Amino acid sequence: QVQLAESGGGLGQPGGSLRLSCTVPIIAFTDYIIGWYRQTPGAQREFVAQISPTATANYADSVKGRFTASRDRFTNTASLQMDNLKPEDTAVYFCKANSERRGSVFWGQGTQVTVSS
């Protein structure tokens, strides 16, 4: 079965940076939209960013100008660069691979990001 894996989470300071990575073990990697979501205890999982097979990205208003999504088809890896971190960015971050044409959705297990001084 396909299983995604996030890495790069940890402790960051306000105004600092972290970079998350997501390994995507899917042969047809270029068919999939890669999304990033985050969730805090007791809250609904929320959209953060997504990047299309053509590398066009869109972002939630809360992270625009601070986060940057990217993807590398040669390594089947997606990344989320997080700059100018804020305490409200604290959450568990998940990556998702979605193909509407194939009718397939796969999720990672999440990585903890904590932003505190």
Side-chain angles (χ1 to χ4, degrees):
Q1 295 184 352
V2 173
Q3 182 173 322
L4 311 187
E6 303 91 344
S7 63
L11 177 64
Q13 293 192 352
S17 297
L18 288 172
R19 185 177 180 89
L20 305 183
S21 295
C22 175
T23 57
V24 186
I26 303 172
I27 294 176
F29 176 70
T30 55
D31 282 352
Y32 286 79
I33 298 169
I34 305 299
W36 292 92
Y37 295 77
R38 65 189 182 187
Q39 187 171 25
T40 55
Q44 185 177 2
R45 190 170 297 182
E46 67 173 340
F47 169 80
V48 175
Q50 68 177 6
I51 183 166
S52 75
T54 57
T56 298
N58 68 286
Y59 305 90
D61 287 342
S62 59
V63 306
K64 283 182 178 178
R66 301 189 299 117
F67 290 10
T68 304
S70 61
R71 63 193 294 162
D72 185 347
R73 69 181 180 89
F74 296 105
T75 60
N76 283 17
T77 300
S79 297
L80 184 69
Q81 177 69 36
M82 304 185 294
D83 296 322
N84 193 22
L85 288 166
K86 300 178 179 180
E88 52 263 43
D89 294 323
T90 296
V92 176
Y93 284 71
F94 301 85
C95 62
K96 179 184 75 173
N98 173 74
S99 174
E100 186 170 290
R101 184 175 71 84
R102 294 173 176 268
S104 302
V105 179
F106 305 102
W107 287 90
Q109 293 301 305
T111 185
Q112 176 71 48
V113 170
T114 302
V115 182
S116 175
S117 61

